[in-house]
């Protein structure tokens, strides 16, 4: 990965940890394939959440374009890879969180105006966390 891309990735990961901390969620950056941040405890976090962070800047069409895939050939992330994907709009310094099951595509595009919502980070975290916990519960009940 080029140094510039590494810097974008580190900035996005740091922002996710910071914004979660502002919501009272204890989170840490980790280095593990497919997992960049782990949310351990805090409001609503009943079990640790593995978070894959995707950072982007918007293009001339005002679209943030996020790569939401891994492997060769590329495939969407699955629950086995992570619980939540954090789509970071770096220029807006905001995050749109999605439960991994919500992003079954290789690329996700989000218009920059969506990151202009004051509560996008809080609102999407609560929704993604709820969906992730429900899917974890469903997996455990099937064992």
């Amino acid at each position: 990965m080029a140094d510039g891309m590494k810097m974008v990735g580190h900035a996005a990961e740091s922002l996710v940890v910071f914004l979660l901390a502002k919501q009272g969620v204890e989170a840490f950056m980790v280095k593990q394939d497919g997992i960049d941040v782990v949310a351990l405890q805090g409001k609503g976090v009943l079990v640790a959440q593995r978070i894959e962070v995707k950072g982007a800047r918007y293009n001339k069409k005002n679209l943030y374009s996020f790569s939401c895939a891994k492997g060769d050939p590329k495939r969407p992330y699955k629950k086995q890879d992570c619980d939540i994907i954090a789509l970071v709009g770096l220029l807006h310094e905001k995050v749109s969180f999605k439960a991994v099951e919500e992003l079954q595509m290789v690329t996700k595009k989000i218009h920059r105006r969506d990151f202009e919502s004051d509560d996008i980070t809080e609102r999407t975290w609560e929704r993604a966390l709820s969906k992730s916990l429900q899917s974890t519960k469903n997996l455990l009940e099937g064992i």
Side-chain angles (χ1 to χ4, degrees):
M1 180 184 296
D3 286 344
M5 291 304 291
K6 278 188 181 181
M7 288 175 53
V8 168
H10 289 305
E13 293 165 10
S14 297
L15 184 62
V16 167
V17 170
F18 173 72
L19 293 175
L20 286 174
K22 283 180 66 174
Q23 293 186 62
V25 175
E26 186 177 348
F28 300 94
M29 289 191 298
V30 296
K31 285 294 156 210
Q32 185 176 343
D33 185 40
I35 304 169
D36 298 310
V37 172
V38 174
L40 294 177
Q41 59 186 356
K43 181 182 171 188
V45 181
L46 303 177
V47 295
Q49 296 296 300
R50 303 163 301 147
I51 303 170
E52 173 65 16
V53 177
K54 299 296 181 180
R57 292 173 277 191
Y58 60 84
N59 61 23
K60 293 176 186 173
K61 294 180 180 179
N62 291 320
L63 294 173
Y64 283 97
S65 182
F66 300 95
S67 172
C68 299
K70 69 179 288 180
D72 187 21
K74 295 286 187 193
R75 65 162 177 82
Y77 285 93
K78 298 177 183 175
K79 186 70 170 178
Q80 297 89 325
D81 303 312
C82 63
D83 300 301
I84 294 174
I85 298 178
L87 306 174
V88 181
L90 286 169
L91 297 175
H92 286 86
E93 296 184 357
K94 295 183 181 170
V95 181
S96 178
F97 292 98
K98 304 281 186 189
V100 69
E101 298 86 359
E102 294 180 273
L103 292 176
Q104 293 305 302
M105 70 262 319
V106 173
T107 303
K108 173 69 175 170
K109 294 182 191 275
I110 301 176
H111 198 277
R112 77 175 199 154
R113 75 174 160 264
D114 294 342
F115 282 101
E116 293 170 358
S117 169
D118 289 336
D119 68 341
I120 186 171
T121 301
E122 296 82 5
R123 180 173 35 83
T124 61
W125 169 252
E126 290 172 7
R127 185 167 164 256
L129 179 60
S130 175
K131 287 183 178 232
S132 175
L133 291 172
Q134 184 61 50
S135 69
T136 300
K137 180 182 175 191
N138 293 345
L139 282 172
L140 292 173
E141 286 174 348
I143 295 177

